Coordinates of all heavy atoms in Angstrom, one line a residue:
I1 N -52.8 -20.8 -19.1 CA -51.9 -21.8 -19.5 C -52.0 -22.1 -21.1 O -51.0 -22.2 -21.7 CB -52.2 -23.1 -18.8 CG1 -51.8 -23.0 -17.3 CG2 -51.5 -24.3 -19.4 CD1 -52.3 -24.1 -16.4
T2 N -53.2 -22.1 -21.6 CA -53.3 -22.3 -23.0 C -52.8 -21.2 -23.8 O -52.3 -21.4 -24.9 CB -54.8 -22.6 -23.4 OG1 -55.6 -21.5 -22.9 CG2 -55.3 -23.9 -22.7
D3 N -52.9 -20.0 -23.3 CA -52.3 -18.8 -24.0 C -50.7 -19.0 -24.1 O -50.1 -18.7 -25.1 CB -52.6 -17.5 -23.4 CG -54.1 -17.1 -23.6 OD1 -54.7 -17.8 -24.4 OD2 -54.6 -16.1 -23.0
E4 N -50.2 -19.5 -23.0 CA -48.7 -19.7 -23.0 C -48.3 -20.8 -24.0 O -47.3 -20.6 -24.7 CB -48.3 -20.2 -21.6 CG -48.3 -19.1 -20.5 CD -48.0 -19.6 -19.1 OE1 -47.7 -20.8 -19.0 OE2 -48.1 -18.8 -18.1
I5 N -49.1 -21.9 -24.1 CA -48.8 -22.9 -25.0 C -49.0 -22.4 -26.4 O -48.1 -22.7 -27.3 CB -49.8 -24.1 -24.8 CG1 -49.5 -24.8 -23.4 CG2 -49.7 -25.1 -25.9 CD1 -50.6 -25.8 -23.0
A6 N -50.0 -21.6 -26.7 CA -50.3 -21.1 -28.0 C -49.2 -20.1 -28.5 O -48.7 -20.2 -29.6 CB -51.6 -20.4 -28.1
R7 N -48.7 -19.3 -27.5 CA -47.6 -18.3 -27.9 C -46.3 -19.1 -28.1 O -45.5 -18.6 -28.9 CB -47.5 -17.3 -26.7 CG -48.5 -16.2 -26.7 CD -48.1 -15.1 -25.8 NE -48.1 -15.5 -24.4 CZ -49.2 -15.4 -23.6 NH1 -50.3 -14.8 -24.1 NH2 -49.2 -15.8 -22.4
A8 N -46.2 -20.2 -27.6 CA -45.0 -21.1 -27.8 C -45.1 -21.8 -29.2 O -44.2 -22.6 -29.5 CB -44.7 -22.0 -26.7
G9 N -46.2 -21.6 -29.9 CA -46.4 -22.3 -31.2 C -47.0 -23.7 -31.0 O -47.0 -24.5 -32.0
G10 N -47.4 -24.1 -29.8 CA -48.0 -25.4 -29.6 C -49.5 -25.3 -29.7 O -50.2 -24.3 -29.9
T11 N -50.1 -26.5 -29.6 CA -51.6 -26.6 -29.6 C -52.1 -27.2 -28.2 O -51.6 -28.2 -27.8 CB -52.0 -27.6 -30.7 OG1 -51.6 -27.1 -32.0 CG2 -53.5 -27.7 -30.7
P12 N -52.9 -26.4 -27.5 CA -53.4 -26.9 -26.2 C -54.7 -27.7 -26.4 O -55.6 -27.4 -27.2 CB -53.7 -25.6 -25.5 CG -54.0 -24.6 -26.5 CD -53.3 -25.0 -27.8
L13 N -54.7 -28.8 -25.7 CA -56.0 -29.6 -25.6 C -56.5 -29.6 -24.2 O -55.7 -29.8 -23.3 CB -55.7 -31.1 -26.0 CG -55.6 -31.4 -27.5 CD1 -55.4 -32.9 -27.7 CD2 -56.7 -30.9 -28.3
A14 N -57.7 -29.2 -24.0 CA -58.2 -29.2 -22.6 C -58.8 -30.6 -22.3 O -59.3 -31.3 -23.1 CB -59.3 -28.1 -22.5
V15 N -58.7 -30.9 -21.0 CA -59.3 -32.2 -20.5 C -60.2 -31.8 -19.3 O -59.9 -31.1 -18.4 CB -58.2 -33.1 -20.0 CG1 -58.8 -34.4 -19.4 CG2 -57.2 -33.4 -21.1
A16 N -61.4 -32.4 -19.4 CA -62.4 -32.2 -18.3 C -63.0 -33.5 -17.9 O -63.1 -34.4 -18.7 CB -63.6 -31.2 -18.9
K17 N -63.4 -33.6 -16.6 CA -63.9 -34.8 -16.1 C -65.2 -34.4 -15.3 O -65.1 -33.6 -14.3 CB -62.9 -35.5 -15.1 CG -63.5 -36.7 -14.5 CD -62.4 -37.4 -13.6 CE -62.9 -38.6 -12.9 NZ -61.8 -39.2 -12.0
D18 N -66.3 -34.9 -15.7 CA -67.6 -34.6 -15.1 C -67.9 -33.1 -15.0 O -68.3 -32.6 -14.0 CB -67.7 -35.3 -13.7 CG -67.7 -36.8 -13.8 OD1 -68.1 -37.3 -14.8 OD2 -67.2 -37.4 -12.8
G19 N -67.5 -32.4 -16.1 CA -67.8 -31.0 -16.1 C -66.8 -30.1 -15.4 O -66.9 -28.9 -15.2
K20 N -65.7 -30.7 -14.8 CA -64.7 -30.0 -14.1 C -63.4 -30.0 -14.9 O -62.9 -31.1 -15.4 CB -64.4 -30.6 -12.7 CG -63.3 -30.0 -11.9 CD -63.1 -30.7 -10.6 CE -61.9 -30.1 -9.9 NZ -61.6 -30.9 -8.6
L21 N -62.8 -28.9 -15.0 CA -61.5 -28.8 -15.8 C -60.4 -29.4 -15.0 O -60.2 -29.1 -13.8 CB -61.2 -27.3 -16.1 CG -62.0 -26.6 -17.1 CD1 -61.7 -25.1 -17.1 CD2 -61.9 -27.2 -18.5
L22 N -59.6 -30.3 -15.7 CA -58.4 -30.9 -15.0 C -57.1 -30.2 -15.5 O -56.1 -30.2 -14.7 CB -58.4 -32.4 -15.4 CG -59.6 -33.2 -14.9 CD1 -59.3 -34.7 -15.3 CD2 -59.8 -33.1 -13.4
G23 N -57.1 -29.7 -16.7 CA -55.9 -29.1 -17.2 C -55.8 -29.1 -18.7 O -56.8 -29.3 -19.4
A24 N -54.5 -29.0 -19.2 CA -54.3 -28.9 -20.6 C -53.1 -29.8 -21.0 O -52.3 -30.1 -20.2 CB -54.0 -27.5 -21.1

């Protein structure tokens, strides 16, 4: 997902809760 965002010229921010990835 973050590669797709990056290739579109955007900036991905990751969000994690208690050590578990929720998304970008």
Side-chain angles (χ1 to χ4, degrees):
I1 290 174
T2 56
D3 287 351
E4 290 175 2
I5 294 173
R7 280 193 292 269
T11 300
L13 285 183
V15 179
K17 179 179 177 181
D18 295 333
K20 177 185 176 183
L21 290 173
L22 300 183

